[in-house]
Amino acid sequence: MAHHLLILGGTTEARALAAALASGPDVAPAAARAAAPAAARLRVTSSLAGRVAEPRLPAGEVRIGGFGGPDGLAAWLRAEAVDAVVDATHPFAAAMSHNAALAAAATGVPLLALRRPGWTAVDGDRWHRVDSLDAAAALLPALGRRVFLTSGRQGIRAFAHLDGLHFLARSVDAPEPPMPASTEVLLDRGPFTLDGERAVLRAHRIDVVVTKDSGGAATAPKLAAARELGLPVVVVERPPVPSGIPVAEDVPAALDWLTARGLALR
Ligand code: NAP
């Protein structure tokens, strides 16, 4: 019987992992492929929260919506005979990662966290690292008046009380109130380019940028653009991975982990 892998998704890496596993020919030696087609060996289900109206869908089976907390996820893992879980959610999706750790412990299903590394400041960066969106909001008035807010649709409420500042808030779908009185919404989704980000900062006369430490290349150009223009950036630190959960920093490392459990051929 095929093994069953659950990928908790919503990220570039989750889609890349699902694609790598769906396209067995790219990852498996020819002889092994001939003997056992990837689809026959491994069933892959990707799970999305359902937050985005038109999500980019990963390859393979997809389910959408919450599981109903750790107990709901544990029940799903049992009912669907899941052999392993890769938590490839966004580094800031802390509730889902916590639930996955609890469900894995309850069911004994092996769990891996796939987390791209955070960003590192380089010469010329004027970063202010803070531990929460609330701390970012507290710091902002001392840093600027026109804010490029890239912390996502759900994060904007932390800034809602900052009436004296103007916000350019970029998100995939439109944010909902509460939000700051002076907010201009920019609907867009990465990957972004340095030219594009420079143009946004200039056109909107931005003097401070707020970002989560999401890591990855797709949204990093705003950091380079801010560096070029000498702008301060408030960087919100990511929450920790639940203790005891192994971490892979990229898709090849996740494939190694799966291979070691007999779930993917390399
Ligand atoms: P969260 O706060 O950690 O999770 C809240 C609840 O949403 C979870 O308890 C779970 O509901 C459900 N959920 C989250 N991810 C899910 C998934 N992949 N599949 C099924 N249910 C999921 O999550 P979030 O920060 O709102 O992020 C939601 C999704 O957006 C995630 O898939 C994440 O990868 C993606 N995303 C998040 C960010 C960010 O900055 N947070 C950025 C880009 C993409 P139940 O308890 O009912 O199971």
Side-chain angles (χ1 to χ4, degrees), residues 149 152-163 165-171 173-187:
L149 184 63
R153 182 168 62 98
Q154 298 175 86
I156 196 168
R157 63 181 56 233
F159 303 87
H161 60 288
L162 292 175
D163 288 339
L165 309 186
H166 174 75
F167 287 81
L168 175 68
R170 184 168 66 192
S171 54
D173 289 322
E176 286 153 21
M179 64 178 91
S182 180
T183 299
E184 187 178 345
V185 173
L186 181 59
L187 295 182

Side-chain angles (χ1 to χ4, degrees), residues 9-10 47-49 51 65-69 89-90 93-96 99 154 212:
S47 176
L48 303 178
R51 297 274 192 285
F67 294 93
T89 54
H90 190 271
M96 187 69 250
N99 291 354
Q154 298 175 86
K212 294 173 176 171

Side-chain angles (χ1 to χ4, degrees), residues 6-12 14 46-52 63-73 87-99 116 150-155 172 212 214:
L6 174 66
I7 301 174
L8 300 170
T11 58
T12 307
S46 293
S47 176
L48 303 178
R51 297 274 192 285
V52 175
R63 65 163 300 287
I64 297 182
F67 294 93
D71 293 346
L73 177 56
D87 169 15
T89 54
H90 190 271
F92 282 81
M96 187 69 250
S97 295
H98 180 68
N99 291 354
R116 57 191 178 231
T150 65
S151 54
R153 182 168 62 98
Q154 298 175 86
V172 176
K212 294 173 176 171
S214 299

Side-chain angles (χ1 to χ4, degrees), residues 13-187:
E13 290 74 15
R15 285 190 299 278
L17 180 61
L21 292 167
S23 61
D26 290 340
V27 294
R33 286 200 308 275
R41 294 188 316 270
L42 183 63
R43 174 184 169 204
V44 178
T45 303
S46 293
S47 176
L48 303 178
R51 297 274 192 285
V52 175
E54 291 179 23
R56 287 179 179 148
L57 292 176
E61 288 182 48
V62 178
R63 65 163 300 287
I64 297 182
F67 294 93
D71 293 346
L73 177 56
W76 199 93
L77 297 180
R78 290 192 184 102
E80 298 293 327
V82 172
D83 296 287
V85 179
V86 175
D87 169 15
T89 54
H90 190 271
F92 282 81
M96 187 69 250
S97 295
H98 180 68
N99 291 354
L102 291 178
T107 57
V109 175
L111 170 65
L112 175 75
L114 172 52
R115 286 285 180 285
R116 57 191 178 231
W119 290 313
T120 307
V122 299
D123 275 357
D125 279 328
R126 295 176 57 203
W127 289 9
H128 300 261
R129 286 192 175 272
V130 295
D131 61 8
S132 65
L133 289 171
D134 289 339
L139 186 60
L140 267 184
L143 296 177
R145 284 285 169 271
R146 297 183 62 85
V147 184
F148 185 31
L149 184 63
T150 65
S151 54
R153 182 168 62 98
Q154 298 175 86
I156 196 168
R157 63 181 56 233
F159 303 87
H161 60 288
L162 292 175
D163 288 339
L165 309 186
H166 174 75
F167 287 81
L168 175 68
R170 184 168 66 192
S171 54
V172 176
D173 289 322
E176 286 153 21
M179 64 178 91
S182 180
T183 299
E184 187 178 345
V185 173
L186 181 59
L187 295 182

